[in-house]
Amino acid sequence: MGAYLVERLVFLEWIRTLAGNEQVYFPQPLAESSFHFARVHSSSLLALEDFDDPHRTTIFRASACVPPPARILAPEGEQLFTFRRDGAGDCTLTPVLDSSRRILAGVRPCDLKAIALMDRFQRATIPDPHYLVRREHTLLIGHDCLHPCDRYCFCDAAGSLAWREGADIFLTPQPGARLLVEALTDQGAVLLAGAGFPACGEVEECRARAEARRPDPFGRRFAASLDDVMAAVAKGWDADVWQEQSMRCFSCGTCNLVCPTCSCFDVRDDFSVEDPDSGRRTRHWDGCMLENFAVVAGGHNFRKSPAARQRHRVMRKFVYQPHRFGGTSFCVGCGRCRRQCTVDIDIFEIASELLAAAGEGA
Amino acid sequence: MKAMDPRILTPAMVRIVEATDMTAHERFFRLRLPRPLRHAPGQFVMASIPGIGEAPISICCGPGDHDRLELLVRSAGSLTMAMQQLGAGDQMGIRGPFGTGFDLAEFEGCDVLIVAGGLGLAPLRSLIEPLLAERNRFGRITIISGCRTPADELFRDEMRAWGRAPGTRVIRLVNDTAHLPWDGEVGLVTAPIAGLDIPPATLAVLCGPPVMYKFVIMELAARGLAHDRIFIDLERRMRCGIGKCGHCQINHLTCCQDGPVFRLSAVEALPEALA
């Protein structure tokens, strides 16, 4: 497929050049310690971590950027269709499908996995054309992690660290401020073919060198296997942990919004102020932690308490979605929900407590 | 998995050919479809007015290779309120049909007990019509329909006509006559169940407000009807109909894909199904 050994700064310059002609997204610093995954412009500050810098002073927390790359594939407020009403009052509706090409670069293994899971979810039963058309025209440039992002990361425990599926190109940091750049798909190979990068003749060695650099354990570890965790969560419906961990929850929905496998939405209609005979239907990020998410006509709320909503969120990640979509945990261990939570509610702790409780019960 | 339909979230604009107020809050619509929906009884459509909004609405006409679509819309929010203003000649946006409905083959030869509370009669009408259309394929049919007052009763003339079909009994109830003329019974839909003959091969079908299910199920359980012989039609606020928006999720199930018609035995263990 093609593998290259490229100086990091040369690669970043190539990304910037690509961005001159097409939509390229990359993690970028937003404030002192936070990164967002955003469109690259000529003035964008691009950086990648250094193999030789174990303290990671040159790179920050780009790996856990917000919003997660998966959200670029289902953007907030995306149009589903536009409409126009004629003189007789009849409407013509035109679906909006975004087939412009995008490149999402610097996507970490946890986010590659999240996108693969969203692909599976969006293709299932009745496929969502708006997501899938955008996805079909999106290239992914993955980036390996040699260090956990911070003390909240548990990607290895969640089975995400080795994930490559979905990446068209994959980057692995190498000593001497270089990157191993591998094409994993034909589309990735085509994109790299014109870059003029020097070929790499020792791909296996480069990979092994990077892997040896990883600390062990890599991030937080569950006290048992991921399968055991998922089984423990499934058995935890009546556990006290839901109430204990939700007493301080504001139901702000941040955990939903930053989760790379959350995709729930609400739908809204608008007409133009200037021309009320035209308008659009759009969809908007929604979250099951918000108070009114499960309200039905007549006012009944099927998940009235924060504890019930917390349980639904955690069950959805470890039990419900895996049950329907191929058995893989939909929590990828990125730690974003814990990191962004204003009251420190931690899905890892919740799962760990349920695991401990299941152990006592056995 | 189905093939991708690029218009699955874009409604077709369908002409309304008849619109009448059935009560002060519910308006009945008959639409003429460009092509038959070929829906199963119990399925729903997403109905909308572009610029205003979209909501799941049960199909209330029987299935078949016809171009008719009938909906009963209760005024509950801004969209359904706006729909009360639509009349013959206007258009309504329609997507679907969605969800799983009833399989009429399973009803063959069985006694059928239908219990409807309020607006629950609308989706059940899509089942009652085909049952009565081929009356001799099925056993005895009992329909219990309850509503608050005589002014809230839906499909009154049709219910009277259903009751005249051979082997068919219709029990109409109100909670309160509210000083209005009333030729049915007064009480809750649970009350008549004790007096019915319910052989084990009966199929029971329930649709109504959440609180109704609990008491009707208790009543049917007391009569020994197995839970895989009881169907319930659940309501959730679906936004998409294609299993993506998350709003209708009931534990690991989605109401728009696995329902809205569920066998009680399939959902009774799910804590979020009925409460």
Side-chain angles (χ1 to χ4, degrees), chain A residues 90-91 266 303 316 324, chain B residues 15 91 239 249 258 272:
Chain A
D90 286 358
C91 275
D266 198 359
R303 286 186 289 274
R316 203 168 188 268
R324 289 191 82 109
Chain B
R15 191 76 60 196
Q91 291 179 315
R239 300 292 203 274
Q249 190 155 353
D258 306 293
E272 291 179 351

Side-chain angles (χ1 to χ4, degrees), chain B residues 87-150:
Chain B
D90 292 335
Q91 291 179 315
M92 198 185 273
I94 298 292
R95 298 192 291 120
F98 295 118
T100 51
F102 298 100
D103 177 8
L104 284 170
E106 192 182 346
F107 287 71
E108 205 139 343
C110 297
D111 282 4
V112 183
L113 170 61
I114 289 171
V115 184
L119 195 55
L121 185 61
L124 295 182
R125 181 174 174 264
S126 73
L127 174 66
I128 294 166
E129 281 193 0
L131 291 178
L132 295 183
E134 294 180 87
R135 187 63 197 86
N136 52 13
R137 276 178 68 194
F138 310 100
R140 291 174 299 172
I141 297 175
T142 308
I143 299 164
I144 303 174
S145 172
C147 56
R148 273 193 293 262
T149 75

Side-chain angles (χ1 to χ4, degrees), chain A residues 22-208:
Chain A
E22 43 191 334
Q23 301 180 63
V24 180
Y25 290 76
F26 201 86
Q28 296 171 50
L30 185 64
E32 195 137 313
S33 64
S34 77
F35 270 69
H36 66 158
F37 196 72
R39 182 90 189 263
V40 177
H41 298 287
S42 54
S43 61
S44 298
L45 177 60
L46 305 181
L48 282 173
E49 66 198 63
D50 193 327
F51 184 94
D52 297 312
D53 179 11
H55 303 298
R56 307 172 66 222
T57 45
T58 53
I59 189 73
F60 342 79
R61 296 217 311 237
S63 38
C65 57
V66 172
R71 287 280 187 182
I72 305 295
L73 298 167
E76 160 61 23
E78 76 169 308
Q79 294 192 22
L80 299 177
F81 63 80
T82 58
F83 72 87
R84 168 150 285 287
R85 190 169 274 123
D86 66 17
D90 286 358
C91 275
T92 306
L93 275 48
T94 310
V96 179
L97 295 163
D98 182 354
S99 58
S100 62
R101 191 162 99 143
R102 274 177 188 70
I103 298 173
L104 309 188
V107 180
R108 302 303 175 125
C110 60
D111 285 321
L112 286 176
K113 181 183 180 185
I115 291 171
L117 293 173
M118 294 325 293
D119 291 352
R120 210 180 275 180
F121 168 74
Q122 299 288 6
R123 282 195 195 111
T125 52
I126 304 180
D128 184 318
H130 303 271
Y131 175 93
L132 292 173
V133 167
R134 195 177 284 108
R135 176 69 183 93
E136 196 186 318
H137 294 88
T138 300
L139 266 74
L140 301 179
I141 301 181
H143 185 290
D144 207 0
C145 287
L146 304 192
H147 303 276
C149 340
D150 56 21
R151 64 184 188 279
Y152 303 128
C153 165
F154 59 101
C155 66
D156 196 19
S160 306
L161 184 56
W163 199 275
R164 300 290 178 272
E165 179 193 326
D168 297 288
I169 295 172
F170 197 76
L171 313 175
T172 312
Q174 294 296 310
R178 289 184 300 177
L179 286 170
L180 169 66
V181 180
E182 293 176 84
L184 301 187
T185 66
D186 291 339
Q187 284 199 73
V190 169
L191 190 64
L192 287 174
F197 293 148
C200 177
E202 41 172 24
V203 176
E204 289 304 325
E205 293 85 338
C206 286
R207 284 187 194 149

Side-chain angles (χ1 to χ4, degrees), chain A residues 80-81 83 85 89-91 93 95 97 121-130 132-133 237 263-267 269 271 281 283 286 293 295-297 300 302-303 312 316 320-321 323-324, chain B residues 1-11 13 15 48-54 91 98 235-237 239-247 249 251-254 257-258 271-275:
Chain A
L80 299 177
F81 63 80
F83 72 87
R85 190 169 274 123
D90 286 358
C91 275
L93 275 48
L97 295 163
F121 168 74
Q122 299 288 6
R123 282 195 195 111
T125 52
I126 304 180
D128 184 318
H130 303 271
L132 292 173
V133 167
W237 183 267
S263 58
C264 291
F265 60 86
D266 198 359
V267 172
D269 279 38
F271 46 80
R281 181 166 294 163
R283 63 175 158 191
D286 206 347
F293 187 79
V295 170
V296 298
H300 185 77
F302 281 90
R303 286 186 289 274
H312 181 73
R316 203 168 188 268
Y320 302 156
Q321 303 307 74
H323 177 78
R324 289 191 82 109
Chain B
M1 190 187 106
K2 293 184 184 172
M4 185 178 89
D5 172 3
R7 295 192 71 104
I8 193 78
L9 292 177
T10 306
M13 296 309 295
R15 191 76 60 196
S48 64
I49 304 176
I52 308 284
E54 186 177 56
Q91 291 179 315
F98 295 118
E235 187 212 347
R236 292 294 186 278
R237 195 176 279 180
R239 300 292 203 274
C240 69
I242 63 171
K244 311 295 188 227
C245 80
H247 282 269
Q249 190 155 353
N251 299 99
H252 66 279
L253 303 178
T254 50
Q257 296 294 298
D258 306 293
E272 291 179 351
L274 294 170

